[in-house]
Amino acid sequence: IGEAMSACLPVIAFDCIAGTSDLIQDNHNGYLIPLFDWDLYKVRLSQLMDNEQLRTFLGNNGRTTIRQFSIDIIGKKYLNFITGHL
């Protein structure tokens, strides 16, 4: 998901325990589908295939979202954590 977001691609994923909801904000940077809701998955996938403007909107928002997980930002947070500079 992170690689797709960094490449400005819209994402669609099931809301499973693996952390997809940590990355995807439904209708903002992709689609987060309730687990096993195949009907909604088909609807959302069709919307993405049929609407270039929607793909661009979600993809651009995804790229912005994923930047918070860059090595520079995560590295600084980690360093601040271990040095006690919270």
Side-chain angles (χ1 to χ4, degrees):
I1 292 171
E3 286 182 49
M5 291 173 122
S6 67
C8 242
L9 297 172
V11 294
I12 181 171
F14 287 105
D15 188 7
C16 60
I17 199 159
T20 54
S21 62
D22 292 334
L23 297 173
I24 300 172
Q25 299 163 355
D26 194 44
N27 292 309
H28 176 71
N29 60 9
Y31 289 128
L32 196 57
I33 309 297
L35 205 54
F36 305 116
D37 189 342
W38 291 103
D39 291 330
L40 182 57
Y41 185 91
K42 289 181 220 177
V43 168
R44 295 296 191 220
L45 187 58
S46 292
Q47 290 173 336
L48 287 173
M49 290 188 300
D50 295 337
N51 189 333
E52 182 179 357
Q53 186 176 5
L54 177 62
R55 290 191 308 267
T56 301
F57 171 77
L58 295 175
N60 286 336
N61 288 342
R63 177 177 267 175
T64 301
T65 300
I66 204 64
R67 286 183 181 145
Q68 68 181 317
F69 298 101
S70 74
I71 193 160
D72 291 332
I73 292 173
I74 295 297
K76 286 177 186 175
K77 287 181 179 182
Y78 182 71
L79 180 63
N80 289 338
F81 174 76
I82 62 172
T83 59
H85 294 98
L86 302 173

